[in-house]
Amino acid sequence: MPQILPDFSNSVKLKYVKLGYQYLVNHILYLLLIPIMAAILIELLRLGPDEILSLWNSLHFDLVQILCSSFLIIFVSTVYFMSKPRTVYLVDYTCYKPPVTCRVPFSTFMEHSRLILKNNPKSVEFQMRILERSGLGEETCLPPACHYIPPTPTMEAARGEAELVIFSAMDSLFNKTGLKPKDIDILIVNCSLFSPTPSLSAMVINKYKLRSNIKSFNLSGMGCSAGLISIDLARDMLQVHPNSNAVVVSTEIITPNYYQGNERAMLLPNCLFRMGGAAILLSNRRSESWRAKYRLVHVVRTHKGADDKAFRCVYEVEDKEGKVGISLSKDLMSIAGEALKSNITTIGPLVLPASEQLLFLVTLIGRKIFNPKWKPYIPDFKQAFEHFCIHAGGRAVIDELQKNLQLSAEHVEASRMTLHRYGNTSSSSLWYEMNYIEAKGRMKKGDRVWQIAFGSGFKCNSAVWKCNKSIKTPTDGPWIDCIDKYPVHIPEIVKL
């Protein structure tokens, strides 16, 4: 009987082969320059000082050549530094922590659902099944108006929630950074579903008596990815306004959007969305670089609104009884997957090391020329980032991204724990996740963070940050009283 060949996949340490390949490709320029520099150095040593001096003296420079060369160097340097984008720093940020009086345990949520939907037990049962599989914990919060039976979604109550969340986050930001209201040059507030008149940005200006020449923006209707759209807008504004501070406020007001009908597709947001908000201070001032936590590296935005299914997959609409709510399509996850695919196709070349880009290119050419059935190569984004902040839109969203990006449990820990402790806080969830990583003491100087968010329209947006300094474990923030008990095990189904 012929000898069976050994299993090379087990006998050879392929892990180290891959690591060697990555090091070789990523440092190819250095590896080529070293022998060249060594050869030059050996040649200089062989010539000796007298021959080097005579070679230098043989070169002839006149005054015109020196002046022209100096002018060219100064001109090129000036053009380079003038056209170079201004560095945008994230000085600091704060997250709103709701009071315990707003807490909604599962038992309270289901009791209210039974009373509000007493004529439709199937809708109650549907909400219970969703809640059991949602990944939420017992400490998520809803605004005071949603605690009444039935809820009281009045304009006054909605404004009250907005003032509570936004002003609390802003006050914390002022205390944490020492920023004065008069120092704010740019203000951006994003809230998707509550857009009163005057706007929420005007409400902030009135509260803190901000300057009359402040550049203010109020973004609405842009879904859970609006926070990164606000960051992108702030970056663009900071490019044209030197020596400026920008404050971004991201939140979602739940009060006017609690659905009280029977449509299942519109009941789903009731089970997932919870109150929350964040305030972020960005600056392009060089004087802020020493204390800034992060530096903004890239923002990549993808919009799939040209496709009708994508446009309508998250849609505010009235049901048959005239009750307004947000309808979530069954195609939501597949549409989100397509949006993510487009987004990472754009961001990949910006962040991936050469080794991953080369493998992706070779696979792509092989599929186009040789065999279309070849399995496409999924780049290893763990080579580009140390931390991942995936929008905590729901367990299914996190599961899908973990699978598609081949991430470990630790990479998605911040997203899962944020969903468990605070629920889906819409555009602000990314900042609760980043604060979780900091509270765990994992954020080190040079670490790269990838924030990924999805929103209605349909949009997938990404932001890449680089940590400026090793961040000490914070002594305040939304995780201060519970970080020690996390991570917790989250079962697939919590029986209610």
Side-chain angles (χ1 to χ4, degrees):
M1 186 175 182
Q3 184 179 0
I4 300 173
L5 290 173
D7 185 355
F8 289 103
S9 63
N10 291 327
S11 61
V12 178
K13 300 293 185 182
L14 292 179
K15 172 186 174 182
Y16 298 106
V17 173
K18 185 175 182 181
L19 287 174
Y21 160 76
Q22 290 168 353
Y23 188 86
L24 177 65
V25 175
N26 295 340
H27 299 84
I28 188 69
L29 290 177
Y30 297 107
L31 295 174
L32 290 174
L33 282 173
I34 288 172
I36 294 172
M37 295 299 293
I40 293 172
L41 181 61
I42 292 169
E43 183 63 20
L44 289 173
L45 292 173
R46 189 185 66 80
L47 288 174
D50 293 334
E51 292 187 34
I52 294 171
L53 185 61
S54 63
L55 183 64
W56 173 259
N57 292 331
S58 66
L59 299 174
H60 297 285
F61 299 101
D62 58 34
L63 183 61
V64 175
Q65 288 177 325
I66 293 172
L67 289 175
C68 289
S69 300
S70 300
F71 174 77
L72 181 63
I73 292 170
I74 293 170
F75 176 75
V76 171
S77 301
T78 303
V79 170
Y80 171 76
F81 285 109
M82 290 293 288
S83 60
K84 185 181 179 183
R86 290 188 175 93
T87 302
V88 175
Y89 299 103
L90 193 164
V91 180
D92 215 329
Y93 64 96
T94 57
C95 298
Y96 169 69
K97 184 178 181 181
V100 292
T101 52
C102 293
R103 194 166 64 91
V104 185
F106 294 156
S107 57
T108 303
F109 184 90
M110 291 313 305
E111 181 185 1
H112 284 211
S113 294
R114 291 187 186 99
L115 292 171
I116 295 167
L117 302 172
K118 57 185 177 183
N119 295 325
N120 198 327
K122 288 186 177 180
S123 295
V124 176
E125 185 182 346
F126 171 75
Q127 287 194 100
M128 184 171 70
R129 290 202 306 272
I130 294 297
L131 203 61
E132 288 176 337
R133 296 162 174 79
S134 65
L136 272 67
E138 295 274 10
E139 296 183 273
T140 60
C141 295
L142 285 172
C146 296
H147 289 255
Y148 288 94
I149 303 174
T152 56
T154 63
M155 177 61 75
E156 183 182 1
R159 285 188 184 275
E161 182 192 351
E163 291 172 357
L164 174 64
V165 175
I166 294 174
F167 294 164
S168 297
M170 288 289 291
D171 289 342
S172 297
L173 186 69
F174 289 138
N175 292 332
K176 195 172 185 180
T177 62
L179 181 73
K180 296 178 181 178
K182 297 295 183 183
D183 293 334
I184 300 175
D185 303 288
I186 301 161
L187 174 67
I188 304 170
V189 179
N190 69 266
C191 178
S192 186
L193 294 170
F194 181 57
S195 184
T197 300
S199 66
L200 295 177
S201 59
M203 182 183 79
V204 174
I205 292 169
N206 176 259
K207 166 71 174 177
Y208 296 103
K209 311 305 177 190
L210 303 185
R211 301 197 321 254
S212 60
N213 65 341
I214 190 169
K215 295 160 184 66
S216 66
F217 303 86
N218 195 95
L219 306 183
S220 63
M222 307 193 85
C224 301
S225 67
L228 295 186
I229 296 173
S230 297
I231 295 294
D232 189 34
L233 175 58
R235 179 190 64 171
D236 292 343
M237 292 297 294
L238 289 170
Q239 293 305 314
V240 295
H241 296 285
N243 200 37
S244 297
N245 291 322
V247 170
V248 173
V249 179
S250 292
T251 188
E252 191 59 78
I253 304 306
I254 307 297
T255 296
N257 304 297
Y258 191 88
Y259 178 64
Q260 300 180 56
N262 296 309
E263 292 290 334
R264 292 190 176 187
M266 300 165 74
L267 283 169
L268 189 58
N270 288 359
C271 303
L272 299 176
F273 282 89
R274 297 293 185 265
M275 68 188 301
I280 305 101
L281 172 59
L282 303 172
S283 181
N284 59 13
R285 295 181 178 178
R286 291 187 180 275
S287 58
E288 296 288 5
S289 61
W290 68 273
R291 68 166 182 157
K293 285 186 171 182
Y294 304 94
R295 175 173 60 86
L296 182 59
V297 183
H298 300 292
V299 178
V300 174
R301 292 166 56 181
T302 303
H303 205 307
K304 308 295 284 187
D307 179 75
D308 291 340
K309 281 188 176 180
F311 176 71
R312 297 186 67 92
C313 70
V314 181
Y315 206 74
E316 187 173 17
V317 68
E318 293 177 333
D319 65 11
K320 296 175 183 178
E321 299 175 359
K323 296 178 179 178
V324 179
I326 304 298
S327 177
L328 301 182
S329 167
K330 292 180 180 178
D331 300 322
L332 178 59
M333 290 311 302
S334 62
I335 291 167
E338 287 299 314
L340 175 66
K341 182 179 177 181
S342 299
N343 192 268
I344 63 176
T345 301
T346 305
I347 202 173
L350 299 175
V351 298
L352 286 170
S355 58
E356 290 299 308
Q357 294 194 46
L358 183 60
L359 282 173
F360 179 79
L361 179 63
V362 169
T363 308
L364 181 64
I365 294 172
R367 293 183 72 209
K368 292 288 185 182
I369 298 175
F370 300 110
N371 188 355
K373 294 182 180 180
W374 278 9
K375 185 178 179 182
Y377 179 72
I378 300 173
D380 185 5
F381 280 92
K382 298 187 290 295
Q383 298 291 326
F385 304 106
E386 284 73 36
H387 307 288
F388 296 81
C389 294
I390 300 167
H391 168 53
R395 170 177 259 162
V397 175
I398 300 171
D399 287 347
E400 194 68 19
L401 263 73
Q402 181 181 6
K403 176 184 174 183
N404 288 340
L405 297 177
Q406 300 175 351
L407 303 179
S408 67
E410 185 174 338
H411 286 128
V412 297
E413 181 184 312
S415 301
R416 291 196 190 279
M417 298 308 112
T418 296
L419 181 65
H420 180 270
R421 175 60 184 85
Y422 288 100
N424 181 354
T425 59
S426 189
S427 58
S428 64
S429 66
L430 298 174
W431 303 104
Y432 288 89
E433 294 166 22
M434 190 175 279
N435 196 263
Y436 177 91
I437 298 169
E438 292 179 6
K440 282 292 183 183
R442 297 173 184 170
M443 195 69 74
K444 306 300 180 185
K445 183 178 180 179
D447 282 2
R448 296 153 298 178
V449 187
W450 187 14
Q451 292 181 323
I452 315 170
F454 299 93
S456 57
F458 188 85
K459 298 178 285 292
C460 176
N461 299 326
S462 293
V464 178
W465 303 90
K466 190 167 185 178
C467 187
N468 269 358
K469 57 183 180 181
S470 295
I471 297 175
K472 297 178 181 178
T473 304
T475 56
D476 56 3
W479 298 95
I480 188 63
D481 62 345
C482 61
I483 190 64
D484 292 336
K485 74 176 185 181
Y486 281 99
V488 297
H489 171 67
I490 304 174
E492 289 293 324
I493 299 176
V494 179
K495 280 295 179 184
L496 300 180

